[in-house]
Amino acid sequence: MAYRISVDTGGTFTDVVVVDPAGTIRIGKALTTYKRAFEGIEHGIAQVATAMGMSTRELLADTSHFAYGTTRSTNAIVEGKTARTAFFTTKGFPDTLLLREGGRLGGAFSPREFTPPYVPRYLTFEIDERIDSDGSVFSPLVEQSVLDAIEQCRIHGVEAVGVSLLWSTVNPAHELRVGELLTEHLGSVPRTLSHQLNPILREYRRASSTVIDASLKPLMQRFLGELADDLAAAGFAGRLLISTSFGGSWPVGRISEQPIYSVGSGPSMAPIAALNVGRTTLEDPAPNVLVADTGGTTFDVGLISDGTIHYSADTWLGAKWTGHITGTKSVDVRSIGSGGGSIIDVDSAGLVKVGPESAGADPGPACYGRGGTRPTVTDAALVLGYFDPAGFIGGELRLDVDAARAALQPVANRIGGTVEDAARGALIIATQNVVSAVREMTVSQGIDPRDLALVAGGGASGVNVIQIARELSIGKVVLPRTAGALSASGALNADLVSDFAVSAFTSSRDFDFDGVEAALRSLDAQADAFLEEVAGLDPIAVHRAYTVDARYPGQVWELETPVSTGTVRSAEDVEALRQEFHRQHQRVFQVNDPGQDIEMLVWKLRVTAEIEKPTVPAPEPATAPPTAVRHRDVLFAFADAPGTPVYAGETLAPMAVLEGPAIILEPTTTLVVDPGATVTVAHNGDYIIDTGTNTPATERIVAEEVHA
C-alpha cells in the first residue's frame, strides 16, 4: 500500500494525517487559508514530508488515497456566502421556508419571531400545478408559470435554483418537467430537484434541503474543482475522496452534484475515529463513548452506543426551529462555540463569558502575534502555564506570553482580579459551557454520562478534558496520539457510504406487496449504480442495510425500523417487521402498543463499500520510568502546582504511568493532567486517563473544604 493522506480543514486549523506503507502515522497542522484551501493543506503536508526526508511533490506522487473533509459549506451557510438561489414551489405554498415546522423552544405560549427564510420572498416563485397525495394530477402544470419564473431568475441574476413541488416524491412528473425547462432556458445555472435529492415526506424539510443543496453548488463545485486542480499540479495522481455527513466518503464528482452532504463532513469523522479508538485502545468491540473534538472555533460532541454511531435527521444550521434544517440524515454531532479561539469577554452586568465568537485563524488569539488583541481560551491556557510557548504546533508557531497577558488585562480589571484570576475563571466557564451542552445531549436521550468513556480529540482537547470528565462524573478518558487531528484521522477509517430513499406508503393491515417490492428494487438499482461508480476504489466488502420510516397511525413522527431481509414478500415478513417496530418503539420511547397496526412511509437503503484500512504498528513497551524534560509553575482549575513536570510525548513508551499534576506535550496538542488524575500509555501509544474521581470537581473541592 502506498502513502495515504487525510485532511480536515477547520475554521482555525487545517489538520493533515499521513500514513506510510508500514502503517506509521504522522501529523501536520497549519493555519487554515480561506482564499485557496490548498495553501494551508500544502503547508501541513510539507511539515510531514520534511520530517520524512521527502519533498511535498514526492509524497503526493506516491499517495494512493487523499481523503478530505471541510467546514467550507457549513461556514458559507452560516456566513451567508452561498449562491443567490431561487425557490420554485407549488402555487399556494410560498411560506414553506418561512413558517418551517412551527416549533418553538420556550413552549406553546412563548413568543416566536420568524427569522428570514433561506430564500427571500422576491426569489420565491409559485408554480401553477398540483399533484395529489396519491400521485394523481390535481392541477396540470402550467408551463407559462415556469417560464415566467425563469425570466425573473434571469432578471435577478439567480445563480442556482431549488425545485420542491408538493407530493413530487409520489409522482415526480411535474418536477421533472420543470427541470427540463430550466435546462432549456437557464442551462448554465445549477438546479436541484427535491425528489432526486431527498425523497421524504415533510414539505419543509424536503424544501429546505433542496434550496440548501442548490445554493452550495456553485461554491462547492468551484472549491472542489480548485482543490483537485491544485493537488494534480502538486503531483497527486491518486484517488480524491470527500468526507460526507454520513460519516463516510464519496468520490469528488458525486459530492459536487449533491454538496449538501458536505455540510458537517469534517466533524462527522470524529466519531469514526473514536469508534476505532474504543475498539482498539479500550479493547471493547461495542464501546459506549462520548466523543469530544475541540478545535480552534468549536467544541463538537457526538455519541456512540453499543458500538453504533448516533445519527440524526434534525441537523439545524442556527437555532432550532428558527434556523435552517438540512433535512438529511447525518452523524449526530452537536457544535458549541467553545474552542481554543473562543473570545473571552465581560458583559454589561460584569459577568465573564466565553464564546461563541471566535478569533479564528486570522488574526487568531493574541498570543499568535498575528494582530489579534482580544483574549481567547488559548491565551488563558498560555497564561496558566499549560502551553509551551516555543513548542506550539511542533514548534511551527511561537506563542507570545506578554501579548496574552495584555489581552486578558482588561478582563481582569473588569472583574477586579489578576490576569491569572481572569484566565482561570475563563477556563472554568468554558468547561461549564461544554458540560451543559453534553448533559443536554446525553440526558435528553436517556443516556447517563457516567456509563460512558470520553474520547477526546482536537488541538485544544487536552486543556480541560479532565475537568469536563470530572464534572460529568466520567471516570475514564482516552486521548489518542492522533488527538490533534481526530477528524482527519477518522477519515483514514471511513468507508464509502451512501443512503438512498424511496417513498411508498402502506400499512401492515393492508400491505402493498407490489409497491414495496418495486421501491426496494429501486433502492437496489441506485445502490448498484453507486457501487459501479466506486468500483475503481477497490472496496474489499459491500454491506446493505434496509430500513423503513414507520409509525403508529396518527403519530406525528416516524421511527426508522430495520428491514433485516431486504424484502417483504409474505404475511410472515410483514408481521416480523411490525414486531421489530414495536421493539424499536419500546427501546426509544420506553412504551409501545403491540396490538396496533403500523404505517410505513419511506423505504431506505444504506450501502457501505469497505476500503482497506491502514494497520498501525504498536510502539515498543517502556523500559525506563518517564523523565520530565522540564518543570514549570502551572495553575490548575482548583489548585496551584509549582514545579509541575512537563513530559515530551514521544519519550513516553507503552505502559508508562504518570501521576498528575503533569503536562504532556504532543506535536499537535497538549494534555493537561490535573492533580489526582493518572495517565497510562496504552499499547498503541494512546493515553488512557483515570480522572481520579466519580464526583464533579466543584463538589470535590467543597467536600475537601468541609473536611478541612
Side-chain angles (χ1 to χ4, degrees), residues 603-620:
W603 303 81
K604 300 177 179 179
L605 169 59
R606 165 163 290 203
V607 59
T608 301
E610 288 189 39
I611 59 175
E612 185 182 4
K613 312 293 193 304
T615 301
V616 181
E620 292 295 325

Side-chain angles (χ1 to χ4, degrees), residues 246-258:
F246 292 140
S249 296
W250 273 3
V252 65
R254 177 171 282 259
I255 200 72
S256 294
E257 289 302 313
Q258 295 185 331

Side-chain angles (χ1 to χ4, degrees), residues 290 292 294 299 301 336 338 427-444 447 449 454 464-474 638 695-699:
L290 176 69
T294 315
F299 179 96
V301 60
I336 64 171
S338 187
L427 260 296
I428 292 174
I429 291 170
T431 297
Q432 291 303 318
N433 288 345
V434 169
V435 168
S436 297
V438 171
R439 281 180 176 150
E440 179 181 350
M441 181 179 187
T442 52
V443 175
S444 66
I447 296 172
L454 174 57
N464 58 347
V465 66
I466 293 177
Q467 285 301 314
I468 291 170
R470 283 176 169 172
E471 290 290 341
L472 293 167
S473 297
I474 294 175
F638 300 102
T695 58
T698 50
E699 295 180 15

Side-chain angles (χ1 to χ4, degrees), residues 344-406:
I344 303 165
D345 203 355
V346 182
D347 64 19
S348 58
L351 300 176
V352 177
K353 64 177 185 177
V354 179
E357 187 180 0
S358 173
D362 188 13
C367 62
Y368 283 10
R370 296 165 58 90
T373 57
R374 302 178 69 184
T376 67
V377 170
T378 297
D379 294 306
L382 179 63
V383 166
L384 295 175
Y386 296 170
F387 292 148
D388 188 351
F392 199 66
I393 316 181
E396 289 287 320
L397 182 65
R398 297 184 65 87
L399 302 181
D400 188 337
V401 179
D402 291 337
R405 295 184 65 86

